[in-house]
Amino acid sequence: MADRLLATEFSGISGYKVSLLSIDGKIVISSTSIQIMTLPLPDAAVHFDTLIIVSGKGNLDISHNFRLMNWLRMIRPSVRRIGAMSCGVLVIGSAGFLDNLHATAPRFLEEKLLEEFPQIHIRDDAIVEDGNIYTTSDYGMGAVLTQRLLQSDLGAHLANRVLASLIQAQTKMTEACVPINEKIVKIEQNRNPMSAAIDFMRDNISSSAVLSDAADFVCMSERNFQRKFKISTGKTLYQFLTDLRLEIAQKILREKNSTPQEAARSVGLSEQRLETLFKKNLGISVSEYCLTISMTAAQKYPSDLAFPIQKTTNCLDL
């Protein structure tokens, strides 16, 4: 995107070549099941201008990978700047890049970072720049980090144009995208990991991979996320997601006059699966529920038509 804008401003100029790397150069599967082909870690003689460690629950494991740590330390002298997003801060912290520097990190990683790397000075900011090291407290800060890096290269004019294009692209990819500044405020105001995860799941309930995405959002393995969620809320994740999906599906059917298929799609389920959950938890089919909506004169059901959930869903239900 920056290259396209460069070409419009300065004919014949191309500035960026992006390489996606992993330790072994294999196909990496994202939390949304997208397969990404990566290159293996190159020889230390290969020079990079900018190195960015992205977020993800895998960082909790690779932060102790000897091969990766050794490679990072070898290439550091030749890298002009380094960025780390959310859990990626743990990786460059393990490599020693943050010793005696200021950095930011997700609130739920701060204690771990301070315990393992007491030389790091943690700041409660969305993004921190100290020397040639950039850190962000949330993985959703990619657009802002990009803007900050481009501004130092190309100036504020082009950098802001790229940021505007990224925000526009994000808006098209999600049905309910908020402006990036509002996202930053929300992240800063809600730093409790379980509360943040609940907000994330509510905002992304239409995704069939919402559970793994939520675990990535708070930089936890799915197993650890499920365990901590149960301790924090008293509900299993499956119970919570079932209740949330039923709540939102009922609201959509009541207020938007949607079809059962549209309601099911909006909460990340098949129509058959939504039907099963309605019968199991509400004691009524989706079609019967829709019928009651049109029976405004009937007194059989409360006017808001929000049926109480009759029994708890077990973990095999989803």
Side-chain angles (χ1 to χ4, degrees):
M1 192 174 294
D3 276 350
R4 290 200 299 270
L5 290 175
L6 271 176
T8 64
E9 298 280 338
F10 308 101
S11 179
I13 294 180
S14 179
Y16 297 96
K17 177 182 177 182
V18 178
S19 299
L20 302 177
L21 307 178
S22 66
I23 294 176
D24 298 311
K26 298 179 180 179
I27 292 177
V28 175
I29 301 178
S30 75
S31 59
T32 53
S33 301
I34 298 175
Q35 295 185 344
I36 303 172
M37 190 64 204
T38 64
L39 300 172
L41 298 179
D43 186 271
V46 177
H47 296 291
F48 293 96
D49 175 81
T50 305
L51 179 67
I52 298 177
I53 311 296
V54 298
S55 184
K57 58 190 176 185
N59 287 329
L60 302 177
D61 297 322
I62 66 171
S63 62
H64 300 290
N65 184 285
F66 175 80
R67 180 182 169 195
L68 176 62
M69 294 299 107
N70 189 47
W71 182 81
L72 288 172
R73 294 181 185 115
M74 285 193 300
I75 69 162
R76 185 183 182 186
S78 64
V79 177
R80 181 165 65 99
R81 58 193 176 186
I82 298 170
M85 298 171 56
S86 190
C87 299
V89 176
L90 187 61
V91 175
I92 63 173
S94 297
F97 293 0
L98 296 175
D99 289 356
N100 301 312
L101 294 181
H102 292 90
T104 188
R107 178 64 60 83
F108 42 88
L109 277 184
E110 288 182 3
E111 184 176 346
K112 180 179 178 65
L113 283 168
L114 292 173
E115 179 180 346
E116 296 189 18
F117 316 110
Q119 304 93 332
I120 301 175
H121 305 293
I122 300 295
R123 282 170 43 184
D124 189 21
D125 295 314
I127 184 169
V128 170
E129 175 185 353
D130 193 345
N132 68 340
I133 304 288
Y134 299 76
T135 53
T136 74
S137 61
D138 182 79
Y139 83 106
M141 294 288 295
V144 177
L145 176 60
T146 299
Q147 189 261 359
R148 183 72 65 89
L149 296 174
L150 290 176
Q151 184 169 329
S152 67
D153 291 344
L154 309 174
H157 173 65
L158 278 178
N160 289 334
R161 288 181 63 187
V162 172
L163 180 61
S165 298
L166 289 173
I167 294 174
Q168 183 179 20
Q170 290 173 344
T171 303
K172 292 179 180 179
M173 292 173 62
T174 177
E175 295 179 356
C177 181
V178 297
I180 188 130
N181 288 337
E182 293 182 25
K183 277 189 174 182
I184 297 171
V185 170
K186 182 177 181 181
I187 290 165
E188 289 302 298
Q189 290 178 343
N190 188 8
R191 302 298 296 274
N192 178 276
M194 293 304 110
S195 296
I198 288 173
D199 287 344
F200 178 89
M201 288 186 284
R202 185 174 289 276
D203 292 341
N204 296 274
I205 194 63
S206 62
S207 170
S208 58
V210 64
L211 191 154
S212 60
D213 289 348
D216 278 347
F217 183 73
V218 292
C219 296
M220 296 182 187
S221 66
E222 287 187 33
R223 182 176 180 180
N224 190 37
F225 177 47
Q226 292 182 48
R227 181 180 63 83
K228 291 191 174 184
F229 189 92
K230 176 66 181 295
I231 294 172
S232 177
T233 67
K235 278 188 175 183
T236 69
L237 269 166
Y238 298 99
Q239 290 170 347
F240 172 80
L241 286 173
T242 296
D243 292 351
L244 181 61
R245 281 170 167 147
L246 287 171
E247 172 194 333
I248 294 176
Q250 289 182 80
K251 184 176 181 181
I252 290 173
L253 291 170
R254 288 198 313 272
E255 299 178 0
K256 297 187 178 181
N257 196 27
S258 299
T259 65
Q261 184 180 26
E262 291 169 337
R265 189 184 306 116
S266 297
V267 295
L269 298 175
S270 66
E271 187 176 355
Q272 181 180 6
R273 182 61 188 150
L274 182 64
E275 178 77 14
T276 300
L277 291 183
F278 260 68
K279 289 181 178 179
K280 183 178 179 66
N281 295 277
L282 306 181
I284 188 172
S285 69
V286 178
S287 59
E288 289 171 333
Y289 181 85
C290 292
L291 181 62
T292 63
I293 296 174
S294 62
M295 299 170 58
T296 55
Q299 300 299 317
K300 185 177 180 180
Y301 301 107
S303 59
D304 63 0
L305 297 176
F307 287 79
I309 296 174
Q310 293 181 344
K311 52 185 174 181
T312 300
T313 305
N314 61 49
C315 63
L316 297 178
D317 286 331
L318 292 182

